[in-house]
Amino acid sequence: MIQVIVNGQPEVLAPGFTVLGLLEARGLVGKRLAVERNGDIVPKARHAEVQLAEGDRVEIVVAVGGG
């Protein structure tokens, strides 16, 4: 198991977990969002291939519409 920080909170994941897997586990697939890993934006096209590693810091920001 690996430990990562997601939106400031520690989380334990299986090795090989991808950004897409994290989004799926949180029910966020298909939503308008931005993902940052260790200070770098992860483009949507790469969510399935970017694997998370021990100590990674991930920020997930979901766009909220309204007025």
Side-chain angles (χ1 to χ4, degrees):
M1 301 304 276
I2 62 169
Q3 183 166 338
V4 300
I5 305 297
V6 180
N7 291 350
Q9 299 297 316
E11 191 161 329
V12 177
L13 303 172
F17 220 75
T18 64
V19 170
L20 180 59
L22 181 62
L23 296 176
E24 287 173 341
R26 292 173 171 253
L28 296 173
V29 174
K31 298 200 184 275
R32 292 179 46 161
L33 52 77
V35 179
E36 182 181 276
R37 186 186 77 171
N38 301 327
D40 295 322
I41 296 292
V42 180
K44 184 177 180 178
R46 297 199 56 223
H47 286 182
E49 67 188 58
V50 173
Q51 291 190 358
L52 300 176
E54 179 72 30
D56 276 352
R57 299 185 72 81
V58 179
E59 294 293 325
I60 303 169
V61 179
V62 179
V64 178

